[in-house]
Amino acid sequence: MNRNKLRNFGLWVSFLSLCAASVCPLTGCVSSASKRESVQISSAETVTNPVVPVADVETEPPLPDVTVEPNAPRLLRLAIISDMNGRYGSAEYDAEVVRGIDMIIEDKPDIVINAGDMVAGQKAKLNYRKMWTGFHAAVTDRLKEAGIPMAQVVGNHDGSAYDKYMKEREIYIDEWNQRKPELEYVDDTFYPLHYSFQKNNLFFIGLDASTLDALSDEQFMWLENQLQNNPT
């Protein structure tokens, strides 16, 4: 596994075998250069038209059957959110964020995945507690009241792993230890920085990728162990 592929994002690694109406695979046929043929219009003129290649049904592999039975239970319905923060230090959230949470609550997903940058930090002399109070009021508490669990990972504006941001990182850890979601954890030893859990027999891993660096050796070894021993 290439560690550099795991940088820059609050990654969620999940082994999914989804069979849900929302799954829409992109299919198509890739061919070599298009053939062209001449089509006789009249004795006086000839035009050249492209011929669209057609797959050879005898040699092309069959497309996967993604048909969903009408009465088949859904495997998982989820919503993914991220980057809801405003200007540096802001403790208020735009109307679009509030409306987005309204829509999620109306849709009633099984879980919300929060990919980070919940507050507008990563700058000195900001009131991080005030920012987190604003975020919880706009997002966390509303989802909890609706009975929708939210699993989050740390963004660089929430609690970057660089040494100069250790104070705000400690606040991030404290905030989420106080509001730890009720999930079926597989390994929460390092929560809320990186952890794993199950939902509807699917396996999720949340990583701390809050810097531009590759994963630390310790976190990478933890990840490998999670992938090798996932319970699903």
Side-chain angles (χ1 to χ4, degrees):
M1 181 180 297
N2 188 339
R3 300 187 190 192
N4 290 327
K5 292 182 179 179
L6 301 176
R7 58 188 294 185
N8 300 340
F9 299 95
L11 293 178
W12 284 92
V13 181
S14 53
F15 290 86
L16 308 180
S17 177
L18 290 178
C19 180
S22 60
V23 178
C24 180
L26 185 65
T27 61
C29 178
V30 179
S31 66
S32 57
S34 299
K35 300 178 181 178
R36 304 177 70 87
E37 68 175 8
S38 296
V39 179
Q40 189 71 31
I41 302 300
S42 68
S43 58
E45 59 179 337
T46 302
V47 297
T48 303
N49 291 335
V51 176
V52 178
V54 178
D56 185 343
V57 296
E58 294 184 357
T59 59
E60 290 288 331
L63 296 175
D65 182 3
V66 295
T67 304
V68 177
E69 295 296 331
N71 298 321
R74 74 185 189 195
L75 188 56
L76 182 74
R77 187 180 186 89
L78 60 82
I80 301 176
I81 59 177
S82 71
D83 296 87
M84 291 160 285
N85 52 359
R87 65 187 182 281
Y88 280 116
S90 176
E92 298 180 354
Y93 288 80
D94 293 340
E96 289 84 356
V97 173
V98 176
R99 178 54 185 152
I101 299 303
D102 288 341
M103 295 172 66
I104 290 173
I105 291 172
E106 292 169 6
D107 200 46
K108 295 180 173 61
D110 298 309
I111 190 171
V112 172
I113 301 298
N114 184 338
D117 281 357
M118 295 163 269
V119 299
Q122 205 173 26
K123 192 174 183 180
K125 299 181 180 179
L126 299 179
N127 189 334
Y128 285 89
R129 292 294 187 183
K130 184 177 180 181
M131 287 191 290
W132 281 113
T133 297
F135 176 79
H136 293 320
V139 180
T140 314
D141 294 344
R142 297 183 62 213
L143 290 174
K144 184 176 181 179
E145 290 170 3
I148 301 171
M150 180 178 71
Q152 88 295 331
V153 291
V154 58
N156 62 297
H157 289 285
D158 305 320
S160 172
Y162 289 124
D163 290 342
K164 63 187 296 185
Y165 303 114
M166 283 301 104
K167 181 60 178 178
E168 60 195 71
R169 187 172 174 87
E170 291 172 1
I171 293 174
Y172 167 84
I173 293 171
D174 181 62
E175 288 286 336
W176 286 103
N177 276 330
Q178 293 183 49
R179 295 172 180 270
K180 188 174 182 179
E182 296 181 3
L183 299 169
E184 186 181 349
Y185 293 97
V186 175
D187 188 344
D188 60 352
T189 305
F190 305 101
Y191 180 90
L193 297 176
H194 56 275
Y195 59 101
S196 61
F197 66 93
Q198 294 184 90
K199 183 69 176 177
N200 292 22
N201 203 37
L202 300 176
F203 184 49
F204 293 85
I205 295 175
L207 297 176
D208 176 7
S210 58
T211 71
L212 295 177
D213 302 325
L215 294 181
S216 66
D217 291 340
E218 293 79 9
Q219 188 177 188
F220 192 82
M221 291 175 61
W222 177 88
L223 172 60
E224 287 190 317
N225 181 67
Q226 294 296 303
L227 295 176
Q228 292 169 3
N229 299 287
N230 80 83
T232 58

